[in-house]
Amino acid sequence: MKQLRPTVLAGIFAVAGVLSWAGARLWNAYGTLPGVPLAAPVVLGAIAVVLLATALSLRARLKAQRERRPGAKGVEPLMAARAVVFGQASALVAALVAGMYGGVGVFLLMDSLDVPARRDQTWYAGFAVLAGAAVIAAALFLEHVLKLPEDDDTTPQSPSRA
C-alpha cells in the first residue's frame, strides 16, 4: 500500500475548488445556488476526531507492545490495514469535499457578503474547509503511526537459482 502524498491531496483540493467555484458561478447565473449545510463542518470535524482517537489509541498500543509491557494488547495486522485504508479514504474524500466548499466559499465571498444568509453560508464553507484540513492532518498522522519500519537488512541476497 502506497503512502498518501500531500501534493496529491493539494491537487485534488485545488481542482475541486476551481470546478466548484466555476459551477457555483454558473448555477447562480441560472438560478438559486444551494446553501452550504451547517452539518458539513460538523461531520468533517467528527471524522477528524475519530481518526485522531484511532491514531492515538493505536500509537499507545504499539508503544506498549514494543516495550513488552505485561498485559499489553497488540495490534492485529488486519485491523491496522483497515485503519490505514479508512484514513486514506477519509483524506481523499476530505480533500475533495473541502475543495468543493472552498470553491463555493470563495464565490460567496466575492459575490454577495451583503446578504446575511449568504454571509452565514460563507462562514459554514470556511469552517468546512478547516474541518477538511483537520481530517487530512489526522489521516496523515494515522498513516504515520502505522507505517512499517524501513527494512535495514544489509545482508547480501541469497544466490538465485539457475
Side-chain angles (χ1 to χ4, degrees), residues 5 32 41 59 62 70 140 142:
R5 294 187 179 166
T32 305
R59 184 176 73 167
L62 287 170
L140 291 175
L142 174 64

Side-chain angles (χ1 to χ4, degrees), residues 64-135:
Q65 187 178 7
R66 273 193 309 272
E67 293 174 354
R68 300 187 190 274
R69 292 184 192 158
K73 189 174 179 184
V75 177
E76 295 180 24
L78 187 58
M79 184 177 78
R82 287 178 179 159
V84 169
V85 169
F86 172 59
Q88 286 185 349
S90 298
L92 290 168
V93 170
L96 180 68
V97 170
M100 287 175 30
Y101 286 127
V104 170
V106 168
F107 170 76
L108 291 172
L109 192 64
M110 292 176 8
D111 186 50
S112 54
L113 279 181
D114 54 341
V115 179
R118 290 268 176 119
R119 191 175 323 121
D120 291 343
Q121 298 299 308
T122 306
W123 281 106
Y124 299 159
F127 289 138
V129 171
L130 291 177
V135 169

Side-chain angles (χ1 to χ4, degrees), residues 50-61:
V50 168
L51 284 170
L52 184 61
T54 302
L56 293 174
S57 171
L58 290 174
R59 184 176 73 167
R61 288 172 64 181

